[in-house]
Amino acid sequence: MNVLVLNNGSSSLKFQLIRTDPDLAARDADERLARGVVDRIGGQALLTFQAAGRPARRETTPVRDHRTAVEEVLRWIASETSGVPIGGLREIDAVGHRVVHGGEYFRRSVLVDDEVLRNLEDTLDLAPLHNPHNLRGIYAAREVLGPGVPQAAVFDTAFHHTLPEHAYLYAIPYPLYRRHRVRRYGFHGTSHRYVAYRYRVLTGMPREKVRIVTLHLGNGASACAIAGGNSVDTSMGFTPLEGLVMGTRSGDIDPALVDYIAAKEGLTAADVELILNKQSGLLGISGLTHDMRDLLAEAREHDDRRARLAIDIFCYRARKYIGAYLAALGGADAVVFTGGIGENSPEIREGIVDGLQWFGLELDPESNRQMVGGREGRISAPGARLEAWVIPTDEEILIARDTMRLVLGIESRY
Ligand code: ADP
């Protein structure tokens, strides 16, 4: 089955075309047929497309809205693939959409129908920065492909639906939860879920036995405590702003700061929230960049004090969360790194686990150095009581497989 995986952002559309079926999935042999991005939707857009085994193609063309973006993607797939085995447009069997927020209602991936769309409309004010674009993408794909092509929604929040009450409730008046569903939801769920699944495959451990802390460290960053294969705590909260230090997000702060900064700087609460989302984190501390690779270069080459400080605060916060989650889990077997930073930076991984020797975590320097660029494996020293692993994430594969299983009516146990 060929599944088109769509990730609609505010002004971009990322896609992958993946061939999968129950047998391919069981053998981890799903095929990536094509991928690409439509960037700067709403103006002169930049399109980047690549079919497997072919050179990337780039073009600029006006793309008015998400519907036009979906049309461009389909047009390209049809033209690029006619005459080669993956066939043309007709061979898109289903579409899987990444949806950021599923609220309390969506606890797993679902096939999209009118009722799902109505319930998705209800999540819009929970995630005003993300969900409207995701929803726009679903409407666009439905219009362009017609009702004959099934569509699925896969939620960033769904993996965290197993959080117990004591982990998801804030210690604020309970009626605020009842009236407005103010609680922690957690995000990056598809990534944490994929990594936990791969960890099982790599170690041969049954799902029920998996007790690990996963760290997704990319532009956004979050930690997840996983017991019995389920998420039992995670660092992002009502929105993706809570928790770890991120590229431009502050992560945890004292909420009293919002009012204080607003008063001192003559801003509104919404202005301060924007600062916490867009001008904080690595960028805010360093005053240089949100990009970890550039920050590491600044620290190394120019010994920039604030670049170093931003890196230290990033590592320290991540280490604190590992400690907290080891306590929450009553111990764990492994810490797993993923995301652009987690998969590629031995230096940051070392900075984070430095001081966790106490828990029995000792890195193997050589394995840590080598585990970059998409490699997957253990980086702790042989015999370490708490292991460390690097497992590159692959949210698209999980979205494709969820979609395929929903279309075929097969239960997923990931
Ligand atoms: P997103 O959350 O947008 O998907 P990614 O998971 O791609 O982001 O992660 C992007 C981050 O990964 C950036 O901060 C980037 O600098 C960092 N990164 C990528 N490669 C390296 C590297 N070799 N060393 C350090 N950081 C890296």
Side-chain angles (χ1 to χ4, degrees):
M1 179 181 298
N2 292 343
V3 181
L4 179 65
V5 176
L6 294 182
N7 183 353
N8 280 278
S10 56
S11 63
S12 72
L13 168 63
K14 294 194 191 124
F15 80 91
Q16 287 198 19
L17 184 62
I18 294 174
R19 172 174 292 161
T20 184
D21 63 31
D23 175 55
L24 290 171
R27 293 187 289 118
D28 269 321
D30 328 59
E31 280 175 77
R32 226 170 293 256
L33 304 174
R35 68 201 309 164
V37 187
V38 182
D39 237 332
R40 295 191 229 128
I41 296 173
Q44 194 66 12
L46 180 64
L47 283 51
T48 316
F49 295 137
Q50 181 159 30
R54 297 206 183 178
R57 237 175 62 188
R58 286 189 181 78
E59 56 186 74
T60 14
T61 189
V63 172
R64 197 167 12 118
D65 51 20
H66 284 78
R67 185 196 156 116
T68 319
V70 172
E71 281 170 351
E72 284 295 329
V73 168
L74 295 176
R75 185 182 57 75
W76 176 79
I77 290 175
S79 75
E80 187 74 2
T81 59
S82 55
V84 298
I86 69 169
L89 180 56
R90 285 182 314 280
E91 289 198 28
I92 290 174
D93 299 300
V95 183
H97 295 267
R98 173 184 180 219
V99 180
V100 169
H101 211 313
E104 285 198 315
Y105 183 80
F106 293 108
R107 296 163 153 252
R108 55 179 58 83
S109 306
V110 291
L111 282 176
V112 174
D113 58 18
D114 289 343
E115 193 194 336
V116 164
L117 284 172
R118 268 196 303 279
N119 284 308
L120 269 175
E121 298 275 356
D122 288 343
T123 64
L124 290 185
D125 70 329
L126 285 175
L129 296 183
H130 302 283
N131 272 26
H133 315 299
N134 302 157
L135 197 58
R136 216 165 285 143
I138 296 178
Y139 282 122
R142 258 193 150 196
E143 275 171 40
V144 178
L145 284 164
V149 178
Q151 316 232 7
V154 178
F155 302 93
D156 272 12
T157 47
F159 182 58
H160 304 301
H161 86 270
T162 43
L163 253 60
E165 254 180 338
H166 64 249
Y168 74 66
L169 282 178
Y170 291 111
I172 59 176
Y174 192 80
L176 290 174
Y177 166 61
R178 269 210 314 260
R179 282 207 292 274
H180 310 295
R181 300 288 121 185
V182 173
R183 51 161 285 181
R184 314 182 62 255
Y185 290 95
F187 298 86
H188 284 155
T190 312
S191 176
H192 291 295
R193 180 175 151 224
Y194 176 80
V195 165
Y197 151 75
R198 274 308 291 166
Y199 176 79
R200 266 199 298 130
V201 171
L202 293 169
T203 57
M205 200 177 271
R207 189 181 199 279
E208 297 67 34
K209 287 259 165 67
V210 172
R211 205 168 49 140
I212 56 177
V213 178
T214 49
L215 290 174
H216 177 112
L217 309 175
N219 278 319
S222 69
C224 184
I226 296 175
N230 295 324
S231 171
V232 293
D233 206 348
T234 191
S235 58
M236 285 177 166
F238 181 69
T239 75
L241 184 53
E242 193 179 342
L244 302 181
V245 175
M246 310 182 210
T248 62
R249 295 191 195 118
S250 62
D252 297 334
I253 58 156
D254 182 339
L257 279 182
V258 175
D259 211 35
Y260 189 79
I261 294 171
K264 289 288 181 191
E265 294 277 316
L267 300 169
T268 64
D271 296 333
V272 179
E273 194 181 319
L274 204 64
I275 292 176
L276 298 175
N277 265 304
K278 302 273 185 204
Q279 295 168 30
S280 299
L282 297 176
L283 172 65
I285 301 162
S286 70
L288 292 172
T289 173
H290 69 280
D291 190 285
M292 183 59 94
R293 201 172 359 191
D294 297 343
L295 214 49
L296 285 164
E298 282 296 329
R300 208 167 24 234
E301 287 156 26
H302 304 115
D303 199 22
D304 187 278
R305 191 187 86 82
R306 276 169 53 193
R308 178 55 60 197
L309 190 60
I311 294 166
D312 287 348
I313 296 174
F314 180 91
C315 293
Y316 176 66
R317 181 84 55 88
R319 193 185 320 139
K320 277 211 297 192
Y321 265 93
I322 295 175
Y325 286 174
L326 290 174
L329 291 167
D333 296 314
V335 174
V336 185
F337 291 93
T338 195
I341 300 171
E343 292 167 26
N344 292 299
S345 179
E347 189 175 341
I348 296 296
R349 295 192 297 246
E350 192 184 329
I352 291 174
V353 304
D354 185 29
L356 294 179
Q357 290 87 349
W358 189 82
F359 288 106
L361 202 167
E362 202 80 57
L363 287 188
D364 178 64
E366 190 51 28
S367 311
N368 185 36
R369 206 173 54 75
Q370 283 181 5
M371 214 61 75
V372 293
R375 290 206 192 89
E376 174 179 71
R378 194 169 52 207
I379 56 169
S380 48
R385 192 155 37 88
L386 176 61
E387 295 187 340
W389 287 72
V390 173
I391 300 183
T393 193
D394 196 339
E395 293 157 275
E396 289 78 12
I397 281 288
L398 214 52
I399 295 174
R401 289 180 186 173
D402 270 12
T403 303
M404 174 267 293
R405 293 196 174 104
L406 283 165
V407 170
L408 299 177
I410 303 171
E411 184 77 22
S412 169
R413 275 214 76 225
Y414 286 174

